[in-house]
Amino acid sequence: MDTPVDWALLPPGDAGLTRRVKAAGPSRTMTVKRGRKVFSLGVWAPIANIEAARRELEAERATPAYARKLEAAARRREHEQEGYVDDFRGAVARFLRFAPAFHAQAERLAAVVTEHATPVGSGTVARTKRIPIERRAEAAVIAWLRHATTGYDEMSIARVKGLRRETRRELAQESRALLDAHRRDVAHGVESCSLCAALARASAGEVK
């Protein structure tokens, strides 16, 4: 279908403007598929509708009421983020279930994993809502251990289908065994434990 000459492409990036343009009349969304994901290239719509919607939105966003709305929304997001961080850290601690002898290590590990995994926009498994928080916490711990206690980051893995996934699976088994060692109330030396050593480096700012 040919695009009318009096139409223009509104690029993605301003959801409020896009919604208004779509509500104003006919439009056509442009997308591209990359792998399994579909990305928006923008919306084709009449130029007059785009310009009118932009003027209306700019006028609205210039009002004190809109500024107060943004401030309230920011406070709400900050409160929600703080609550989620607390909930996630609790889920990590429940997954760890370290023995009393390793209480300090459990506290430190829960803190560093949570700090790494929960920032908004981090793209980590902790930010997805597709799986329960308990599984997010488990996956985040295993991911942190993979980078902090194994040689994964320095591995040269051939570009063979499924090989990287298999390598991660094997390393995850090692990480789970490492966690199990801290669920038994039997003390061990820091020097001989890759997890304890990694937490010591994290405390020194060498591991994030």
Side-chain angles (χ1 to χ4, degrees):
M1 182 186 300
D2 293 333
T3 302
V5 294
D6 60 343
W7 283 34
L9 180 66
L10 175 66
D14 189 329
L17 180 56
T18 298
R19 283 195 298 270
R20 291 193 180 214
V21 169
K22 286 184 175 181
S27 65
R28 186 183 308 158
T29 301
M30 304 295 293
T31 60
V32 62
K33 188 173 183 180
R34 295 170 184 162
R36 296 182 179 179
K37 295 184 178 181
V38 177
F39 298 88
S40 173
L41 298 178
V43 174
W44 282 99
I47 297 174
N49 291 357
I50 295 175
E51 293 179 347
R54 182 176 286 116
R55 286 194 300 270
E56 292 172 0
L57 197 54
E58 287 175 351
E60 178 183 317
R61 288 173 173 174
T63 63
Y66 185 78
R68 291 193 296 271
K69 180 180 178 181
L70 288 182
E71 291 174 2
R75 289 194 298 270
R76 183 176 64 253
R77 288 193 299 270
E78 182 178 357
H79 179 72
E80 291 174 349
Q81 171 65 5
E82 290 174 353
Y84 179 65
V85 168
D86 289 341
D87 291 344
F88 188 83
R89 183 168 179 167
V92 171
R94 291 192 296 274
F95 168 68
L96 294 178
R97 305 188 313 279
F98 280 8
F102 301 106
H103 176 75
Q105 287 87 342
E107 288 285 311
R108 182 58 183 151
L109 182 54
V112 296
V113 169
T114 300
E115 181 180 3
H116 170 76
T118 56
V120 176
S122 62
T124 66
V125 68
R127 299 309 312 183
T128 182
K129 295 182 179 180
R130 292 178 296 177
I131 59 177
I133 192 172
E134 291 77 14
R135 288 179 56 195
R136 291 177 234 163
E138 177 180 354
V141 170
I142 297 302
W144 190 88
L145 291 176
R146 181 172 64 246
H147 293 290
T149 66
T150 76
Y152 178 77
D153 291 341
E154 288 73 40
M155 287 182 179
S156 178
I157 302 175
R159 297 178 66 86
V160 177
K161 184 177 181 180
L163 182 57
R164 183 170 295 274
R165 184 182 299 109
E166 179 60 28
T167 300
R168 286 190 173 196
R169 187 180 297 112
E170 292 174 356
L171 294 178
Q173 292 176 349
E174 295 180 13
S175 295
R176 293 181 189 281
L178 188 60
L179 293 172
D180 286 340
H182 294 79
R183 290 167 178 151
R184 298 188 294 271
D185 205 357
V186 180
H188 57 246
V190 174
E191 303 80 6
S192 61
C193 175
S194 59
L195 173 54
C196 294
L199 291 175
R201 294 195 301 273
S203 297
E206 299 174 15
V207 178
K208 296 182 180 180

